[in-house]
Amino acid sequence: MENLTVLLSAWSRDGISTALMTEAAYLCAALALAWLPAWSLARHSKNESVLFGRQVIDGLLFPLLALLFAYIAQSWLQRQQPVLLFKIAIPVLLSLALIRLCARVLMAVFPRSGAAALTERLISWLAWGAMVLWVSGLLPVLLDELDQISWKMGEARMSLRTLIEGGLTAALMLVLALWISAVIEARLLRSASGGELSLRLALSNATRALLVFIGLLFALSALGMDLTALSVLGGALGVGL
């Protein structure tokens, strides 16, 4: 990450400059461009969803679009001048998007679960903590230190950094699998009644189990586990049965 401390000291020494005002204008434009399509699409959404939430700004779509437009604006502006606000705004928007994704999916899949609410708070603390480390420039240093803590697993070398990164990737894959299953369940159970409702509910549960299983396979792969061992074990079980 570029030396953020130097930019902050220059800002405090020179005051609010024209370059900083220009950057603030670009950032406001990026947020406005993100809010307009999110608001327009939310008007046609009948129910609370992962993308739109209860309002426009508490769904997933707004921080995702804001992150995209902010990144484009930063890429364009940093060719002309140093940027400061975007180096703070982009980590904040990324953390907000991850929190919205996990929170909305958990609320949709487990609407009255205390464990889901606790997991949501834990994800929020982790995301905001990682954002603070990123903005302060301490995150690369911490990652390098975690990479030094390593051990051998067969022929592969594992480190605490790869284990944490794999665990986060695994959690993200499982959240995406739960989101897809929740969308499929909502469509299957829409306007269903009587015996058809029971059939669709069973089909929905089977689909969720399949998607979670696929997500678990991707999660194990992200953790660095060799999935060929699982295939051999599955073949042995099949022969035994």
Side-chain angles (χ1 to χ4, degrees), residues 16-24 77 81-82:
I16 300 178
S17 62
T18 304
L20 189 63
M21 294 296 293
T22 302
E23 188 180 359
L77 189 60
Q81 65 179 51

Side-chain angles (χ1 to χ4, degrees), residues 37-84:
W39 173 77
S40 178
L41 292 172
R43 294 175 58 191
H44 303 287
S45 178
K46 297 180 180 179
N47 300 319
E48 180 181 338
S49 64
V50 174
L51 285 177
F52 305 113
R54 297 186 182 91
Q55 302 172 351
V56 178
I57 59 174
D58 65 344
L60 174 62
L61 185 60
F62 172 72
L64 275 183
L65 291 177
L67 180 62
L68 173 63
F69 290 132
Y71 182 78
I72 294 174
Q74 177 189 244
S75 301
W76 173 264
L77 189 60
Q78 68 183 1
R79 300 175 184 175
Q80 309 170 27
Q81 65 179 51
V83 294
L84 172 62

Side-chain angles (χ1 to χ4, degrees), residues 158-178:
M158 294 288 293
S159 68
L160 190 55
R161 173 179 177 175
T162 56
L163 186 63
I164 293 175
E165 290 177 347
L168 293 177
T169 305
L172 181 60
M173 293 301 302
L174 290 177
V175 168
L176 291 176
L178 287 174

